[in-house]
Amino acid sequence: MRASVGDARSTRDRDTRRLREPARRVVHAEVTTDPVDVTALEALVADASAGAVVSFGGIVRDHDGGRPVTMIEYVGHPSARSVLEQVAADVADRTDVEALAVAHRLGPLQVGEAALVVAVSAAHRQEAFVAAALLVDEVKDRLPVWKRQQFPDGTDEWVACP
């Protein structure tokens, strides 16, 4: 039997036993105007029982939809922090993470700055990858934050706003 791509051993050969159930802790959930740093979140989720830490940084890029972008601005609803806390708790409850942390930035951001950062620790890499992807998707789907993009010609547009 051949192992799947990226996996040196078949699933049945992996030892997935644990000393205890996953902790499923939310160690940080923040909506802020301050810069956000994925490295800081990685340190927050570190755990002796975690064999994997997966992180994600959503960075402002210089284009969207074939147009150059000079900067973006995020505006959040007053409930954004409590919604982010709930999203983080929901993802922690639904996955086998040891710990997770998430932060979303508000205000004006320049190209190259982080807007959304996530870090997840878990006993095994697949659990960490799944949880990190789910957390990013849930934040993007549920967080009441809106994005305005600015273009070099001085025009702007609101993206994915109701």
Side-chain angles (χ1 to χ4, degrees):
M1 180 163 140
R2 188 169 186 191
S4 63
V5 174
D7 190 356
R9 297 180 293 170
S10 71
T11 304
R12 66 181 163 77
D13 293 337
R14 269 192 240 132
D15 183 357
T16 58
R17 295 175 293 175
R18 303 169 184 266
L19 296 178
R20 60 174 174 75
E21 288 296 308
R24 296 183 175 93
R25 294 177 295 126
V26 175
V27 296
H28 185 83
E30 179 181 36
V31 176
T32 181
T33 57
D34 295 330
V36 292
D37 177 25
V38 73
T39 305
L41 295 191
E42 289 170 344
L44 291 175
V45 301
D47 189 283
S49 63
V53 172
V54 170
S55 59
F56 169 82
I59 310 301
V60 177
R61 64 181 176 269
D62 68 356
H63 68 280
D64 187 51
R67 292 181 71 185
V69 172
T70 57
M71 59 87 62
I72 62 173
E73 177 185 13
Y74 284 100
V75 177
H77 187 272
S79 67
R81 182 182 181 105
S82 63
V83 170
L84 187 63
E85 290 169 349
Q86 186 60 56
V87 168
D90 291 349
V91 171
D93 287 345
R94 292 167 48 195
T95 60
D96 287 338
V97 299
E98 291 304 325
L100 64 77
V102 56
H104 198 295
R105 182 110 178 257
L106 298 180
L109 282 77
Q110 300 302 311
V111 170
E113 290 187 282
L116 169 64
V117 293
V118 165
V120 174
S121 64
H124 305 282
R125 70 180 184 271
Q126 189 62 33
E127 296 163 343
F129 278 117
V130 167
L134 179 61
L135 182 55
V136 169
D137 290 344
E138 290 290 313
V139 168
K140 290 184 73 70
D141 287 344
R142 296 170 51 189
L143 191 65
V145 168
W146 300 276
K147 178 171 72 171
R148 183 180 66 87
Q149 300 183 129
Q150 179 107 25
F151 303 108
D153 64 5
T155 63
D156 65 0
E157 76 176 350
W158 289 91
V159 179
C161 292

